[in-house]
Amino acid sequence: MYILKNALVSIWRNKGRNLLIGIIILVIACSSSVTLAINNSSNSLIESYKNKYEVLATLGVNRENMMGEFDPNNKDNSREDMMNKFSSASKISIEDIEKYADSKYVKSYYYTISTGVNAEDLEAASASSSSEGNDRGFPGGGRGGMGGGMNFTNATSGDFTIKGYSSIEAMNEFIDGRYKISSGEVSEDFDSMDCIINSELATLNEMSVGDTITIIDAEDDSKTYELTVTGIFEEANEDSNTMSMFSDSVNTIITNSNVLAKMMTANSDLVVSTSPTFVLTSDEVVDNFSSELTEKGLSENLMVETNLDQVEGATKTISNVKNFAVTFLVITLIIGTVVLLVINMINIRERKYEIGVLRTIGMKKMAVSMQFLSELIIVAFVFLLLGAGIGSIISVPVSNSLLENEITSSQEEMSNIQGNFGKGNMGERPDSGQENRGNKMPGNLDKFNGVTTVQVFDSINAVVDFKVLGELLALGMLITVISGISTMVSIQRFSPLTILKERS
Amino acid sequence: MAKKILLKIDNVSYRYADAEKDDYVLKDISFDFECGKVYAIKGKSGSGKTTLLSLISGLEKDYEGSITFNGKELRKIDLDLYRSRDIGIVFQSYNLLPHMSAMENIILSMDISKVKVPDKKKRAIELMESVGLDETQKDRRVLKLSGGEQQRVAIARSLSYNPEMLLADEPTGNLDKETENEILKIFKDLAKKENKCVVIVTHSENVCKQADVIYELKKKKAK
Ligand SMILES: Nc1ncnc2c1ncn2[C@@H]1O[C@H](COP(=O)(O)OP(=O)(O)O)[C@@H](O)[C@H]1O
Ligand SMILES: [Mg+2]
């Protein structure tokens, strides 16, 4: 008890010396709390990115395995053979998808089905200069250039490609902004016979929202289906090196998967290509999911592909800022520890006499060490709190400006998505009848609306929270104790007699 | 009645670790100290008086021969406890904590000794009065007191936890004759009334005259 009392008296009576130590701790605390705050807000930004980008698994062609079956020296292996092989090997039925999705690793799933069709009284845009059916079989080329999808040429012919999405979530092109509604909207009813078409196709055929088109099964003329155009979309043409005057999706008619299901029921020979996307529970289950699919009989020509690289890419800048912060923090702590160590050593030299006196009047080495260490800890604690306070005030603008671009871009992206679907508010959607299929329903598009944005804002404003404060105190106390150990060692070594003799 | 031997110095020799092989500061010293008596250790400057005192107070353990307190060899006891309770030391250079007041220095010694004192403040004030320090000096920092005043504080401190033995290294060196006598009276009272063992290192004839026993240290010739 008296040790603490003594420590307090000693701190107060040696204000100058303790102020010096305090200022050093203050500076360390300030810069540490700023870097910790940056680190924390980077973490929550990365976290919210990860929430936004769910872990998506698609099935892609395992080219290695597939190529392995061809003998490169055998000229008989024509390109067509290969394409056929590709096509048949990678055929996945809706039943397969449902089977694969029935897994504890899968949160939800969605898919697209596409096939070639003809249409009555509808002129296809001449695709002569663009490759035939370019868009066909690209259904998984989705969200932000996520790999996946099956890049094989569909064996079915037809002037148009009809592509059915199983849910709003599956409509990657609208979410990532490649397609954007210019008039009308994406139908919310996934049981309807609605469709949306490319604006170029609409112009060519003088069609507008509300018109109907009749599509014809490419294999069987007798099967026709009437679709109502609810919206017209534009495709952002990013790669301007394509020689085509039309965008890739010009001849693509977008509808829901139920339309294709009807077509498949009517014509069991219909050749379609399906592209499932599985939303996985976390990035850690990818391998498990992959081996589970193999067990369930996934063709060895197919393999699980994920968007993990893409998520990583999106958070790269933030990670860099974060790494910088961590490096800076480590350097600050090392320098801080060294400076404190040196000051403590000088301090001990100055206080040798005091140590000698305390020892000659019978104070134990341990007690003296304790007193000196508690002096250091009390000073450190006070200035750490002070530094954390100052740090928290300056860390908000600092981390905001460092991560400004990330924050605003993520916010803008959120609001754009709604526009891409041609809606003011995607959140209030009536539940459609597809819920019984166990799919994540359109209402889940909430996710792309406000939620993530709010999270981002919160994390930036609460940069110096109790977590940071706790971390800071722990770190500060750690370096204080480390630097204080020199004091302890000196006290253990000193002989009171020599100390007292040195004085006189 | 036969006086009890409190401290026994038996054939003690000592040389500083950095001194030459046979350059002993103290050579074959044997002194006995009993309770209830005032001892004077005299000797010229440099004769090893302070050195002997550090051996007795257990600050130095590398001596030859034996020093026993209450029959126990000093090397084998807890010297911190010994210094904080059994003996009181008044150092030649006072050894007070400069950033503390007289009062705080005295109370700290009581704190360290862990001796039960009901009112430490009251006892400190009584002690300071008995060594002739007045009210105005008790809360002043030690650094701002004169040499004589610091010496009194050191004496008050050494008595604060009521030790059996009091060791004082030239305690009256900075005092005038009148105060020297006052202090000596305190020491004599401690021996006679409270049966303490008082050891005073001095070169003052006056102190020697008033002591019960005088031991003399002869300066060893260098080499
Ligand atoms: N730390 C030391 N190392 C070596 N020699 C010392 C040390 N302290 C004192 N001495 C020597 O020991 C002798 C006795 O010193 P000291 O006991 O202080 O004498 P006194 O107190 O009688 O004046 C002196 O010759 C002094 O130079
Ligand atoms: Mg001396």
Side-chain angles (χ1 to χ4, degrees):
Chain A
M1 206 27 231
Y2 78 91
I3 292 177
L4 202 64
K5 184 180 80 182
N6 232 25
L8 287 171
V9 171
S10 178
I11 291 170
W12 187 245
R13 301 285 159 80
N14 297 293
K15 286 191 268 301
R17 183 181 63 209
N18 288 306
L19 202 65
L20 178 69
I21 296 178
I23 287 169
I24 290 164
I25 293 175
L26 188 84
V27 171
I28 297 171
C30 254
S31 67
S32 304
S33 78
V34 171
T35 47
L36 276 175
I38 292 170
N39 185 38
N40 268 17
S41 35
S42 308
N43 278 343
S44 38
L45 266 179
I46 290 173
E47 197 53 40
S48 69
Y49 263 89
K50 276 191 176 155
N51 286 340
K52 190 182 106 186
Y53 289 91
E54 282 187 296
V55 182
L56 304 178
T58 51
L59 301 177
V61 172
N62 190 337
R63 282 166 223 280
E64 236 167 72
N65 277 2
M66 197 162 264
M67 293 306 179
E69 293 176 18
F70 292 93
D71 180 357
N73 299 323
N74 188 346
K75 295 272 192 287
D76 293 343
N77 283 326
S78 67
R79 193 171 182 273
E80 270 105 285
D81 281 351
M82 209 148 136
M83 285 308 160
N84 285 336
K85 183 100 184 174
F86 260 64
S87 155
S88 62
S90 53
K91 188 163 281 166
I92 306 162
S93 68
I94 307 289
E95 289 73 44
D96 285 336
I97 295 173
E98 277 163 2
K99 185 172 73 184
Y100 298 153
D102 182 22
S103 158
K104 65 176 175 202
Y105 306 123
V106 174
K107 267 204 292 197
S108 66
Y109 69 100
Y110 46 82
Y111 52 86
T112 60
I113 316 174
S114 55
T115 188
V117 290
N118 292 317
E120 228 166 60
D121 303 327
L122 194 65
E123 187 193 338
S126 160
S128 57
S129 54
S130 81
S131 56
E132 167 76 25
N134 196 358
D135 189 53
R136 207 178 289 165
F138 262 89
R143 221 162 281 181
M146 161 185 180
M150 275 151 286
N151 270 335
F152 52 86
T153 310
N154 200 307
T156 322
S157 55
D159 295 337
F160 299 93
T161 301
I162 183 159
K163 187 170 178 185
Y165 292 86
S166 69
S167 73
I168 287 275
E169 277 187 301
M171 304 180 80
N172 294 315
E173 295 87 347
F174 290 90
I175 290 162
D176 68 23
R178 198 143 61 92
Y179 296 172
K180 192 175 185 340
I181 289 290
S182 57
S183 97
E185 59 171 33
V186 174
S187 171
E188 295 168 17
D189 184 356
F190 276 64
D191 277 330
S192 67
M193 294 298 282
D194 292 334
C195 73
I196 47 179
I197 56 171
N198 190 295
S199 58
E200 291 155 16
L201 187 67
T203 314
L204 197 65
N205 290 286
E206 290 175 348
M207 292 188 73
S208 57
V209 173
D211 292 348
T212 58
I213 50 180
T214 305
I215 57 166
I216 308 159
D217 192 317
E219 310 285 307
D220 184 349
D221 289 354
S222 66
K223 308 228 159 30
T224 62
Y225 308 88
E226 191 166 283
L227 300 178
T228 309
V229 177
T230 61
I232 289 167
F233 71 93
E234 279 169 354
E235 179 175 358
N237 195 3
E238 272 157 10
D239 37 336
S240 48
N241 58 347
T242 34
M243 295 300 284
S244 170
M245 59 182 293
F246 296 114
S247 51
D248 289 343
S249 61
V250 64
N251 290 330
T252 303
I253 298 162
I254 291 174
T255 182
N256 60 63
S257 57
N258 284 330
V259 172
L260 275 109
K262 279 176 195 132
M263 291 172 71
M264 286 154 79
T265 319
N267 177 4
S268 55
D269 292 334
L270 190 71
V271 180
V272 298
S273 75
T274 47
S275 172
T277 302
F278 304 96
V279 182
L280 300 187
T281 49
S282 86
D283 52 358
E284 284 147 26
V285 304
V286 172
D287 288 343
N288 293 345
F289 179 65
S290 180
S291 40
E292 190 182 292
L293 290 202
T294 313
E295 271 168 37
K296 284 178 177 172
L298 183 72
S299 156
E300 62 174 18
N301 292 324
L302 293 178
M303 61 181 197
V304 173
E305 290 175 348
T306 66
N307 64 337
L308 291 181
D309 284 349
Q310 188 211 339
V311 175
E312 227 160 72
T315 56
K316 207 175 169 202
T317 326
I318 308 171
S319 292
N320 285 343
V321 172
K322 178 188 140 89
N323 288 342
F324 175 76
V326 171
T327 313
F328 191 77
L329 180 69
V330 170
I331 292 170
T332 309
L333 289 182
I334 291 173
I335 292 176
T337 312
V338 170
V339 170
L340 274 183
L341 206 72
V342 169
I343 286 195
N344 269 325
M345 266 144 70
I346 295 168
N347 204 355
I348 284 299
R349 283 178 172 278
E350 257 178 40
R351 298 182 72 180
K352 262 186 180 179
Y353 172 71
E354 195 183 334
I355 299 168
V357 171
L358 291 171
R359 297 281 291 116
T360 53
I361 58 177
M363 194 159 166
K364 294 202 172 294
K365 283 177 183 171
M366 207 52 208
V368 179
S369 299
M370 277 301 141
Q371 185 199 315
F372 278 49
L373 198 62
S374 24
E375 285 180 31
L376 203 58
I377 286 175
I378 292 166
V379 172
F381 189 77
V382 169
F383 283 91
L384 274 175
L385 281 183
L386 211 64
I390 297 171
S392 67
I393 293 166
I394 57 177
S395 68
V396 174
V398 168
S399 51
N400 270 339
S401 69
L402 267 176
L403 298 167
E404 192 174 33
N405 290 337
E406 316 304 323
I407 299 162
T408 44
S409 70
S410 74
Q411 286 161 359
E412 276 165 12
E413 209 172 313
M414 297 302 152
S415 54
N416 284 343
I417 291 171
Q418 297 179 23
N420 296 344
F421 280 94
K423 317 254 164 179
N425 185 3
M426 294 294 288
E428 294 159 5
R429 308 178 60 86
D431 282 339
S432 68
Q434 295 194 9
E435 220 140 62
N436 49 15
R437 294 216 332 237
N439 237 344
K440 232 182 168 184
M441 279 305 103
N444 287 328
L445 206 72
D446 270 352
K447 187 169 169 37
F448 306 113
N449 292 338
V451 179
T452 317
T453 319
V454 170
Q455 260 180 3
V456 172
F457 262 121
D458 279 356
S459 61
I460 290 305
N461 288 336
V463 273
V464 175
D465 50 15
F466 287 107
K467 189 181 164 224
V468 175
L469 205 66
E471 285 169 350
L472 188 65
L473 283 180
L475 282 175
M477 284 302 152
L478 187 74
I479 71 167
T480 307
V481 170
I482 290 174
S483 63
I485 285 171
S486 67
T487 314
M488 316 268 281
V489 170
S490 313
I491 291 171
Q492 298 298 318
R493 267 197 1 236
F494 284 165
S495 134
L497 196 60
T498 8
I499 297 165
L500 293 177
K501 279 266 161 75
E502 265 172 27
R503 163 139 153 134
S504 40
Chain B
M1 89 184 189
K3 297 276 185 184
K4 166 186 144 196
I5 294 179
L6 185 66
L7 188 103
K8 189 175 176 66
I9 299 177
D10 193 12
N11 222 10
V12 163
S13 298
Y14 181 79
R15 67 185 168 90
Y16 282 97
D18 54 356
E20 277 175 43
K21 202 170 183 328
D22 46 18
D23 186 10
Y24 283 91
V25 178
L26 302 168
K27 189 79 187 158
D28 302 329
I29 306 282
S30 295
F31 295 152
D32 289 348
F33 300 94
E34 296 169 359
C35 291
K37 283 187 186 170
V38 175
Y39 293 84
I41 297 178
K42 70 174 193 176
K44 294 208 178 70
S45 176
S47 59
K49 303 183 294 293
T50 301
T51 306
L52 180 64
L53 218 60
S54 10
L55 296 191
I56 297 174
S57 46
L59 291 170
E60 191 52 73
K61 289 191 274 187
D62 295 330
Y63 52 85
E64 296 159 28
S66 89
I67 303 176
T68 52
F69 183 82
N70 267 335
K72 288 190 200 88
E73 172 60 49
L74 281 196
R75 279 182 280 233
K76 288 178 185 149
I77 62 171
D78 179 343
L79 288 171
D80 292 318
L81 209 62
Y82 168 70
R83 276 199 299 275
S84 69
R85 285 191 190 169
D86 299 328
I87 59 166
I89 319 166
V90 182
F91 294 93
Q92 199 168 5
S93 50
Y94 329 128
N95 291 354
L96 298 168
L97 290 172
H99 62 273
M100 288 185 162
S101 70
M103 175 83 110
E104 285 165 340
N105 265 284
I106 294 167
I107 290 177
L108 177 61
S109 251
M110 287 190 250
D111 283 338
I112 291 174
S113 76
K114 298 199 172 82
V115 164
K116 296 262 178 302
V117 179
D119 189 344
K120 287 177 182 167
K121 259 197 172 142
K122 189 166 157 252
R123 173 148 175 86
I125 290 169
E126 282 168 8
L127 281 166
M128 280 188 282
E129 275 170 1
S130 75
V131 294
L133 286 168
D134 59 49
E135 282 286 302
T136 57
Q137 285 144 343
K138 73 181 194 324
D139 287 326
R140 205 183 296 167
R141 291 216 201 157
V142 163
L143 215 56
K144 291 175 183 165
L145 295 175
S146 75
E149 286 161 347
Q150 288 189 40
Q151 200 151 35
R152 288 169 214 233
V153 175
I155 294 168
R157 180 179 67 178
S158 70
L159 298 174
S160 64
Y161 44 91
N162 203 21
E164 265 187 287
M165 187 178 194
L166 192 79
L167 303 163
D169 197 349
E170 311 208 10
T172 58
N174 283 311
L175 304 178
D176 51 79
K177 187 126 190 186
E178 202 181 315
T179 342
E180 180 178 282
N181 282 330
E182 276 174 39
I183 299 285
L184 277 174
K185 183 164 186 326
I186 295 168
F187 285 166
K188 281 197 282 186
D189 282 352
L190 280 170
K192 304 302 163 201
K193 292 182 184 157
E194 297 183 41
N195 201 33
K196 307 279 182 206
C197 173
V198 179
V199 180
I200 307 168
V201 168
T202 187
H203 50 232
S204 151
E205 277 308 313
N206 182 31
V207 175
C208 289
K209 261 189 279 169
Q210 300 194 47
D212 298 311
V213 184
I214 303 171
Y215 290 130
E216 189 166 358
L217 283 177
K218 289 263 167 19
K219 190 172 176 176
K220 297 272 171 297
K221 276 265 182 267
K223 290 215 180 106

